[in-house]
């Protein structure tokens, strides 16, 4: 995806007495940086006091030794944020802290709730608003969850210290949408997934304790080994007595399919399958589904690399590099406007004319969301002398917004929302265009086809989305895309 949408967040938790848990959380967040780049935070408990440090920026910008060293304790949670609800500001950074019970609790959230209005009504709030005047310091759905949990704390702390656990048991069944939570109080680390498991959360073991992480790749960096996924509808609680599990809802797994396509690191495993190998198989399937005569298969770096490798292997057409990615430029999607996103393309990707000139190219990427960057890349390849450009996408057209935790913007911003493949082909200026069929994509994952959310591809929303958002996002007429000037639809598809 040369212009990826924002992701919801990455979460990490560690219970390891005697270890420097803040440093372990820092490493875990570093491994999960791709899931959110707006803010980073760590909460640590020493058994009596919870300390939270969070700020805007990348993990390495927020934390240095001066900030990590004072964070002493035996359990910690960490969070990388990309905003899906609430603005991008310090007060919306996580973990969220609430001062209730003995020491309070902290929460980190990956995902997006769909019944915020109902939940805020239950708390007596103004519809859809989390008001600072009502005692909250944040506008996120995560802050709302924290407030609901705080409301369920008993007036007096329980002698067994299970206040947070029992408050969660009352709150979790009321939540709808996508959520993977990590939480801590003074003595316990807790991990939770929504009943559909939209977003991953894994459990790992280190010598001194336990680790929770959004992706299995984040276990490796702290020397943990994978134990199992936290199951959809499950809450795991880790403390001095060990680990215990509670299912608050029957699991109906619907992992986000885009975790396989784009979000997760290639060295992560999902449903026990290698993400990297799955992406290569997607390219192989694409070559079988939409073959074309060409001289070279090339990726949009880096998102299209594994699928391009698979395409080349299955087609027998040589694999080559046609674009160089500048490693030191940040991801363009953090730029706030179409115009700035466009400006970032030239900084980020540069063509290799010697590899391109006079060649018929098959260009592979994992998805197209807005299309602005893709169109500029195609123009660069033509300027560099490409004889033909055949674009192949290793996922189906992205037509519907995500309400469960991935920031795609409005439906009108999605290139494929109302255009046919032939119209998109003409807009991009390519000689042919093909998207991988959904059934081939699912087959390439190697996982059970029923176990995925595909709402942004099919419009079939498993969990109902808020009516107000539905009206806004699904029924409003699409806004014209500025770059469509001179665009002339044709009836031919590829
Ligand atoms: S709608 Fe799309 S991006 Fe959102 S969870 Fe479902 S598959 Fe993932």
């Amino acid at each position: 995806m040369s212009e990826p949408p924002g992701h919801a967040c990455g979460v990490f938790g560690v219970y390891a007495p005697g270890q420097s848990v803040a440093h372990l959380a820092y490493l875990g967040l570093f491994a999960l940086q791709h899931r959110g780049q707006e803010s980073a935070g760590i909460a640590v408990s020493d058994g009596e006091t919870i300390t939270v440090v969070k700020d805007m920026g990348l993990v390495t910008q927020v934390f240095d030794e001066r900030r990590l060293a004072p964070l002493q304790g035996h359990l910690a949670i960490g969070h990388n944020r990309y905003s899906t609800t609430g603005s991008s500001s310090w007060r919306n950074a996580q973990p969220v802290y609430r001062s209730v019970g003995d020491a309070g609790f902290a929460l980190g959230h990956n995902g997006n709730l769909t019944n915020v209005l109902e939940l805020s009504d239950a708390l007596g709030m103004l519809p859809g608003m989390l008001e600072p005047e009502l005692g909250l310091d944040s506008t996120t759905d995560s802050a709302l969850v924290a407030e609901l949990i705080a409301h369920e704390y008993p007036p007096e702390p329980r002698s067994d210290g299970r206040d947070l656990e029992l408050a969660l048991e009352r709150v979790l069944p009321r939540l709808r949408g996508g959520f993977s939570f990590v939480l801590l109080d003074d003595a316990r680390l807790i991990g939770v997934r929504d009943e559909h498991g939209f977003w991953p959360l894994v459990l790992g073991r280190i010598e001194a304790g336990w680790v929770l992480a959004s992706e299995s790749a984040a276990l490796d960096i702290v020397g943990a080994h994978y134990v199992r996924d936290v199951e959809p509808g499950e809450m795991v609680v880790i403390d001095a007595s060990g680990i215990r599990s509670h299912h608050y809802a029957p699991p109906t797994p619907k992992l986000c399919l885009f975790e396989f396509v784009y979000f997760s690191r290639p060295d992560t495993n999902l449903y026990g399958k290698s993400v990297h190998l799955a992406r290569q198989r997607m390219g192989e399937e694409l070559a079988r589904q939409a073959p074309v005569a060409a001289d070279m298969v090339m990726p949009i770096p880096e998102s299209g690399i594994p699928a391009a490798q698979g395409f080349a292997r299955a087609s027998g057409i040589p694999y080559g590099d046609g674009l160089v990615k500048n490693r030191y430029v940040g991801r363009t999607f953090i730029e706030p406007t179409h115009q700035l996103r466009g400006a970032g393309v030239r900084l980020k990707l540069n063509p290799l004319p010697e590899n391109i000139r006079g060649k018929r190219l098959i260009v592979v990427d994992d998805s197209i969301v807005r299309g602005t960057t893709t169109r500029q890349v195609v123009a660069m390849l033509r300027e560099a002398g490409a004889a033909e450009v055949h674009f192949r996408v290793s996922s189906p057209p992205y037509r519907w917004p995500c309400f469960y935790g991935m920031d795609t913007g409005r439906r009108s911003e999605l290139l494929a929302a109302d255009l046919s493949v032939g119209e998109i082909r003409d807009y991009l200026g390519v000689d042919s265009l093909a998207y991988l069929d959904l059934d081939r994509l699912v087959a390439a994952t190697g996982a059970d086809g029923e176990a995925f959310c595909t709402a942004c591809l099919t419009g079939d929303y498993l969990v109902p989305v808020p009516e107000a958002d539905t009206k806004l996002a699904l029924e409003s007429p699409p806004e014209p895309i500025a770059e469509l000037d001179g665009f002339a639809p044709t009836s031919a598809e590829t």
Side-chain angles (χ1 to χ4, degrees), residues 198-199 254-259 263 398 400-406 408 453-457 461:
F198 284 111
W199 308 111
K254 294 286 178 185
L255 180 71
C256 169
L257 185 54
F258 272 81
E259 289 286 350
F263 296 144
Y398 199 105
W400 303 88
C402 176
F403 293 91
Y404 307 138
M406 201 264 280
T408 54
C453 172
T454 59
C456 52
L457 308 174
Y461 290 96

